[in-house]
Amino acid sequence: MFFVDDAVCFHAVYVCDRQVTFTGSTEVGRLIMEAAAKSNLKPVTLELGGKSPLIICNDADLDLAVDLAQHAVFYNQGQCCVAGSRTYVQEGIYEEFLKRAIDKAKKRVVGDPFKGVEQGPQVDQIQFEKIMSYIHSGIEEGANLLTGGNRVGNRGYYVEPTVFADVQDGMRIAREEIFGPVMSVFKFSGLEEVIQRANDTEYGLAAGIVTNNLDVANRLSRSIRAGTVWVNCYLVGSTDVPFGGYKMSGIGREKGLVGLLNYMQVKSVITPLKDSPWL
């Protein structure tokens, strides 16, 4: 994470006369778009924030579902733009999922990243304090803190793997990008309901689906407004697979042929054809 002020951002964009590509926060992405518009209307490619849903259906393999859910949100201490920070679990497996998720989170090893642990520190004190403020907000707004929520040790910026249950869609931890190891678990009944709730966000970077029903996977993947949808996996990609977001998660795509097109323009060249047999 880094921070820029308006003057630095505007200057950087002004000196680039053809194209600007940026990966980072939505807030800075807005500044870059504004600067691009005020300079010479140069095109921009933006890969920004996310609040990605992971939808776990009744027929899912529960062990796989718990592993994917925690990998999705705890990877890199939760400091990941596509973090699956909204975990929607269907009511038939909700309680059992929570039991297994709590047990697995408690066993997660946190500490010095050079000593073979599973989770290291947050990037700096500012981010650490931001994450702790979100955890306190979740408690104050009535989410059920099942495990974690505290600092690990008294040195460094380590946060316990945290799991909230019974999260409501209007809570801050449900709507804002935390960028930390905080799992928010929601209960849902049917597919139409979860589609509406998963799409009820200003972001649209990624999503995940865990189900053994191909028809359900197809229906959900086509309905969720996100640039990448993983089915029975998470955080899997390749240099030839386009990556980018819908809505406030960005503009354009990285990787693949589509990613190259961001840096190209179409030109029409017209010349007369004299004595052409086709005229």
Side-chain angles (χ1 to χ4, degrees):
M1 173 177 288
F2 64 90
F3 298 87
V4 297
D5 61 27
D6 290 8
V8 173
C9 178
F10 273 67
H11 175 74
V13 176
Y14 267 91
V15 297
C16 300
D17 65 340
R18 292 188 180 181
Q19 169 88 21
V20 175
T21 298
F22 172 76
T23 297
S25 70
T26 298
E27 292 75 15
V28 177
R30 286 177 179 272
L31 292 176
I32 289 172
M33 283 198 71
E34 181 182 354
K38 288 184 175 180
S39 56
N40 63 348
L41 282 178
K42 62 179 64 65
V44 297
T45 302
L46 303 174
E47 193 267 281
L48 307 176
K51 192 69 180 175
S52 302
L54 175 66
I55 300 171
I56 302 172
C57 299
N58 281 336
D59 68 333
D61 179 321
L62 259 179
D63 288 332
L64 173 65
V66 172
D67 287 347
L68 289 178
Q70 299 212 348
H71 179 57
V73 73
F74 293 152
Y75 170 79
N76 198 38
Q77 298 74 247
Q79 298 168 144
C80 180
C81 58
V82 295
S85 53
R86 292 187 294 148
T87 306
Y88 289 92
V89 182
Q90 201 160 12
E91 56 189 1
I93 58 170
Y94 184 79
E95 296 299 333
E96 182 61 27
F97 174 88
L98 290 178
K99 292 178 183 178
R100 299 192 191 191
I102 295 168
D103 183 61
K104 190 173 180 65
K106 287 181 176 179
K107 294 177 180 177
R108 191 170 179 84
V109 182
V110 181
D112 187 339
F114 295 102
K115 295 183 178 179
V117 301
E118 295 175 277
Q119 182 177 311
Q122 309 308 133
V123 65
D124 58 23
Q125 183 176 352
I126 293 174
Q127 184 60 25
F128 170 81
E129 292 176 351
K130 176 183 176 184
I131 294 166
M132 298 307 297
S133 73
Y134 275 115
I135 292 173
H136 295 151
S137 171
I139 296 170
E140 291 172 358
E141 290 189 318
N144 185 7
L145 177 63
L146 301 180
T147 187
N150 298 305
R151 182 175 196 160
V152 177
N154 54 16
R155 295 183 61 191
Y157 308 120
Y158 300 93
V159 179
E160 288 181 333
T162 299
V163 179
F164 280 103
D166 306 322
V167 180
Q168 303 302 309
D169 295 325
M171 295 178 179
R172 284 185 65 211
I173 60 172
R175 304 204 67 81
E176 299 178 19
E177 186 176 32
I178 299 174
F179 225 61
V182 180
M183 175 187 289
S184 297
V185 186
F186 309 72
K187 183 190 294 186
F188 77 93
S189 298
L191 297 186
E192 284 301 325
E193 171 200 341
V194 77
I195 289 169
Q196 187 277 324
R197 294 171 67 190
N199 285 331
D200 184 20
T201 173
E202 62 186 12
Y203 297 108
L205 190 56
I209 300 163
V210 189
T211 179
N212 286 317
N213 187 320
L214 183 59
D215 291 335
V216 170
N218 285 335
R219 180 180 177 186
L220 289 175
S221 63
R222 285 161 172 74
S223 300
I224 302 301
R225 294 185 54 77
T228 297
V229 180
W230 287 289
V231 179
N232 293 328
C233 61
Y234 209 90
L235 291 172
V236 179
S238 173
T239 54
D240 59 347
V241 177
F243 177 76
Y246 287 29
K247 298 185 277 188
M248 288 179 62
S249 287
I251 297 173
R253 293 294 182 269
E254 301 171 350
K255 304 181 181 179
L257 176 60
V258 176
L260 293 177
L261 295 178
N262 292 324
Y263 303 94
M264 303 171 68
Q265 287 188 305
V266 176
K267 177 186 289 186
S268 299
V269 178
I270 303 170
T271 62
L273 293 177
K274 297 181 179 180
D275 300 322
S276 169
W278 295 286
L279 295 180

